[in-house]
Amino acid sequence: MNRSPIFSSGLELGSFVVTSNVLHHSWAAISELYGEIHEPPSWDSPVRFRTFQQPNCTIIAFVTWPPCTKEHLQGQGRGDLVSSSALKETFPLFEFLCTKTNPRFSINKPAIDLFVSVRGVLNFLKSQISNKPLIITGHSLGGSVASLFTLWLLDKINLATTKRPLCITFGSPLIGDDGLQEAILQYSAWNSCFLHVVSDRDPVPRVLISPYNPTAPELASPTNEYKPFGTFLLYSELGCACLEDPESVLVLLVATYSEGSGFDYKDIFQQLNGNVICKDSTKVDEWIAQPLQAGIITQLGAIGLGRLQLQQQSIDMNTLIRQTERRERKWLIRRREVYDSNVLSEMKVYMAQLEWYKKCCEDEEIGYYDRFKNAFDSSDIKAQGFKKSLTCYWIDMVDEVEKKPQRNGAAFTTRWLFAGTNYRRMIEPLDIAEYYRDGKTDYMAKGRSKHYTQLEKWLSEDEKPASRPNNSKKQNLAGGLTENSCFWAYVEEARISCNVLSNGESNDMDKHKRSLIVFEADVMGMLNNYAVSPEIFLNRSSFMKWWKEYLEIIRKGIMGPSHTSPFTEFMQNRQYRQYAPGCL
């Protein structure tokens, strides 16, 4: 399966593009595209593009002719944002970015107008993609078009079988608001697809940051409609630094600006030739004890923000370090990879502990549901700890997936859906045990956590209906889990109905009779499909207690004269003894 790397940090991405010469090839494609333009500049049809087939990659480059300037972006209406609701009516190509938790976003009007102008060639450009790595690049507003094309492409390609594109922009202005930022940041694989290269002397990437006052930047993040996403590679004559935290990017884009002329992005390749990103030209102060703080000092120095330079701008170095460190810590917490295989492995250990707990309970003829409900000893307390850790993890997991763009957040990959299903089938019965132990009723309507409902929904969307039980189900019954994770809630409600009918405590006796008839039919269906764990037939289980209670009210004639059904015959004839061996 062809996959491209997902970078876990901006430094990894920056190091990759430098050491692999991807940065050099990207700018070379842009330069060649500019060199092919021989017509007068015109904003009527300004976007130019070309596909470059390299031996080891495909590059699609975008530029505008004429190139964008600070004055152009500062023109009337150039900083306007177009809302997703307006785009839905006129240009609905980005509707997939809207989610339940992030229902709206806005994009810079000049950027979207330029992208609309190439709408007719999008499928042609998509057809140029091969099995080689894909680089999408652009300069200035051409970089904005490249970013939007990459977003559009991420929705169109199958990321399970196709290499992820890498978008590299040079001197591109910010293109969207916090809604667009949130849509991309919620999907870490998408965020790692964007690298924005910015010179300290280029005003264009900074012009939409308000207040635009580079000579006196505020230490706090600027109040700004436009928000960054992806990784930013900032460079000056002293060196380069990679940043991911969006708030730090906003602050340092302003703080690093140095008015001047004559800069060229090709200079970055000469400067980085053989050098390491973030190599500082000054010593880190001895008083710096924390690695994160030391790394921040190194990054600031690498982009020309040493103590002397900051003093010249009346900025306190220690304040800038503390605030940047706070933002970085917040960012590190946020960008915790939900799909981190190490975390999943730790959760698997907890699941294994609970599986052992389940086995030990079955050896005592009680089953883990009833053992947990009665909480006999310290092993049940340990099981409670494992349950809590797993529940916190999967609630966060489901929440993260729901925030992702629609087509990529709609469901887990097969591996994660399998793990989530096992978790739900193992842990939800324990939640049900706690719920009814406290004397509550109607778990389905009043007690069920929404993350269980969502996991079940995703499984139903992924599964193909089975026409008959397969042999693997029969063979693995002994150690299996009941497929319907709410089974024990139905058992508890059935016991409540039996109690009501036995005592004649309800004005609506027929309602409880109907619910019991439905329940026994559902159980029979599950048994025929080998979808229930054999532990329900253990002598001390709540299910067997219910059966004894149900049989009693049948014998009393409460369910009607001579009430019988396939299920009652199955139980009275003790056919359940053949269930565990898979011999029904």
Side-chain angles (χ1 to χ4, degrees):
M1 186 178 294
N2 289 326
R3 291 185 183 272
S4 54
I6 300 176
F7 297 98
S8 61
S9 73
L11 185 57
E12 287 181 13
L13 176 56
S15 299
F16 166 75
V17 297
V18 171
T19 57
S20 64
N21 285 324
V22 168
L23 213 60
H24 173 77
H25 292 315
S26 299
W27 183 253
I30 290 171
S31 299
E32 187 172 340
L33 183 54
Y34 272 131
E36 294 173 353
I37 301 174
H38 303 295
E39 58 207 63
S42 170
W43 282 109
D44 293 332
S45 180
V47 181
R48 303 290 184 273
F49 58 87
R50 182 184 158 189
T51 301
F52 298 82
Q53 295 294 346
Q54 304 285 351
N56 298 319
C57 67
T58 298
I59 299 176
I60 300 177
F62 295 91
V63 299
T64 59
W65 189 249
C68 177
T69 64
K70 177 182 73 173
E71 290 72 25
H72 176 76
L73 282 175
Q74 287 178 321
Q76 186 176 5
R78 296 295 181 178
D80 290 351
L81 287 160
V82 182
S83 68
S84 52
S85 57
L87 286 173
K88 184 177 181 179
E89 297 177 0
T90 60
F91 191 64
L93 295 189
F94 296 104
E95 191 177 350
F96 64 90
L97 291 171
C98 294
T99 65
K100 289 190 297 184
T101 56
N102 188 48
R104 59 186 63 87
F105 61 89
S106 297
I107 298 177
N108 174 251
K109 188 177 188 306
I112 201 68
D113 287 345
L114 290 171
F115 190 66
V116 169
S117 72
V118 297
R119 181 177 186 175
V121 299
L122 295 180
N123 287 325
F124 166 75
L125 291 174
K126 180 174 176 285
S127 70
Q128 303 299 298
I129 300 173
S130 63
N131 59 354
K132 294 185 293 186
L134 174 64
I135 309 299
I136 302 167
T137 190
H139 173 235
S140 195
L141 269 177
S144 301
V145 177
S147 293
L148 292 175
F149 176 67
T150 303
L151 278 176
W152 175 82
L153 195 62
L154 285 168
D155 179 57
K156 298 299 179 185
I157 61 178
N158 183 352
L159 293 179
T161 58
T162 306
K163 290 183 172 66
R164 291 176 178 84
L166 175 60
C167 177
I168 302 176
T169 70
F170 296 86
S172 175
L174 304 182
I175 66 168
D177 67 351
D178 55 353
L180 182 66
Q181 178 194 67
E182 187 70 16
I184 298 170
L185 292 183
Q186 289 296 339
Y187 195 29
S188 57
W190 284 23
N191 196 52
S192 71
C193 291
F194 296 89
L195 177 71
H196 309 287
V197 182
V198 177
S199 165
D200 64 336
R201 287 187 286 171
D202 188 350
V204 171
R206 300 166 169 89
V207 75
L208 295 178
I209 302 176
S210 57
Y212 181 66
N213 187 7
T215 59
E218 299 175 10
L219 291 185
S221 176
T223 301
N224 198 63
E225 285 188 293
Y226 285 87
K227 301 292 183 181
F229 58 84
T231 298
F232 277 72
L233 195 159
L234 308 182
Y235 87 95
S236 69
E237 292 181 353
L238 294 176
C240 297
C242 278
L243 301 164
E244 287 179 283
D245 168 44
E247 297 303 312
S248 295
V249 167
L250 280 178
V251 171
L252 295 179
L253 275 174
V254 178
T256 56
Y257 182 65
S258 176
E259 288 195 70
S261 59
F263 75 92
D264 192 324
Y265 277 99
K266 70 179 180 182
D267 295 340
I268 189 174
F269 313 117
Q270 299 172 355
Q271 183 174 324
L272 288 177
N273 186 25
N275 291 333
V276 179
I277 292 180
C278 300
K279 185 175 182 181
D280 194 3
S281 58
T282 61
K283 283 190 176 182
V284 177
D285 291 338
E286 294 180 359
W287 60 270
I288 297 294
Q290 297 294 327
L292 178 58
Q293 224 176 57
I296 291 168
I297 290 285
T298 301
Q299 296 232 36
L300 294 177
I303 52 178
L305 292 181
R307 292 190 182 277
L308 178 60
Q309 291 85 353
L310 289 171
Q311 287 172 3
Q312 292 172 350
Q313 299 187 50
S314 301
I315 297 176
D316 180 66
M317 178 74 157
N318 294 338
T319 302
L320 181 60
I321 292 169
R322 284 196 303 271
Q323 293 187 349
T324 304
E325 180 184 11
R326 186 178 67 248
R327 293 188 185 99
E328 288 289 332
R329 288 191 186 280
K330 183 179 178 181
W331 171 248
L332 287 170
I333 292 172
R334 171 171 181 169
R335 67 177 299 278
R336 174 183 58 85
E337 288 288 340
V338 175
Y339 293 129
D340 187 341
S341 60
N342 292 329
V343 178
L344 180 59
S345 296
E346 185 179 354
M347 295 303 109
K348 286 181 177 179
V349 171
Y350 294 154
M351 284 291 288
Q353 295 279 4
L354 285 172
E355 286 167 4
W356 179 252
Y357 171 77
K358 179 176 180 289
K359 180 183 182 302
C360 292
C361 293
E362 290 170 3
D363 291 343
E364 298 175 12
E365 289 290 316
I366 187 171
Y368 86 116
Y369 170 81
D370 288 284
R371 173 62 182 261
F372 190 82
K373 183 179 177 183
N374 294 313
F376 290 135
D377 57 32
S378 60
S379 65
D380 306 303
I381 297 174
K382 290 180 180 178
Q384 174 70 39
F386 298 138
K387 169 185 167 297
K388 182 177 180 181
S389 296
L390 285 160
T391 299
C392 290
Y393 173 76
W394 282 101
I395 286 176
D396 287 346
M397 170 74 74
V398 171
D399 183 59
E400 288 291 330
V401 173
E402 283 191 297
K403 292 176 181 177
K404 298 180 188 304
Q406 291 172 1
R407 297 190 187 179
N408 292 276
F412 291 127
T413 61
T414 300
R415 176 191 180 203
W416 288 87
L417 186 57
F418 177 79
T421 299
N422 276 347
Y423 153 77
R424 175 174 58 83
R425 290 172 177 172
M426 173 68 81
I427 301 300
E428 188 167 15
L430 303 184
D431 276 351
I432 294 168
E434 285 184 324
Y435 185 84
Y436 285 95
R437 182 175 62 199
D438 295 338
K440 300 174 184 176
T441 61
D442 201 2
Y443 169 84
M444 296 301 295
K446 300 176 182 178
R448 196 180 195 202
S449 172
K450 68 174 185 179
H451 80 290
Y452 290 133
T453 305
Q454 193 61 60
L455 284 169
E456 191 172 43
K457 176 176 177 287
W458 286 333
L459 179 66
S460 67
E461 292 171 346
D462 184 75
E463 273 189 337
K464 296 180 180 178
S467 57
R468 60 188 180 197
N470 56 48
N471 289 327
S472 64
K473 277 188 177 183
K474 300 178 183 180
Q475 295 165 3
N476 295 305
L477 267 178
L481 296 165
T482 298
E483 291 183 6
N484 188 331
S485 56
C486 296
F487 174 81
W488 290 106
Y490 299 130
V491 171
E492 296 288 356
E493 292 298 321
R495 293 194 70 188
I496 291 171
S497 290
C498 283
N499 185 59
V500 169
L501 291 172
S502 179
N503 297 325
E505 296 174 346
S506 174
N507 294 326
D508 192 359
M509 304 289 276
D510 288 341
K511 172 186 173 183
H512 292 281
K513 292 177 185 178
R514 288 193 300 270
S515 68
L516 287 169
I517 291 171
V518 170
F519 177 62
E520 65 169 84
D522 288 343
V523 173
M524 196 67 237
M526 288 186 260
L527 292 170
N528 287 332
N529 198 37
Y530 289 93
V532 185
S533 170
E535 68 175 345
I536 71 170
F537 299 119
L538 293 172
N539 289 332
R540 297 164 63 192
S541 80
S542 290
F543 178 81
M544 293 303 287
K545 290 176 182 177
W546 164 77
W547 165 243
K548 292 173 184 176
E549 295 161 356
Y550 188 44
L551 184 59
E552 183 66 23
I553 66 171
I554 290 174
R555 287 172 175 169
K556 289 180 179 180
I558 296 175
M559 294 300 294
S562 304
H563 174 76
T564 186
S565 69
F567 173 76
T568 57
E569 292 179 3
F570 174 88
M571 294 298 295
Q572 287 178 313
N573 295 332
R574 299 191 177 186
Q575 290 177 265
Y576 55 82
R577 293 177 175 177
Q578 304 302 315
Y579 181 74
C583 298
L584 289 185

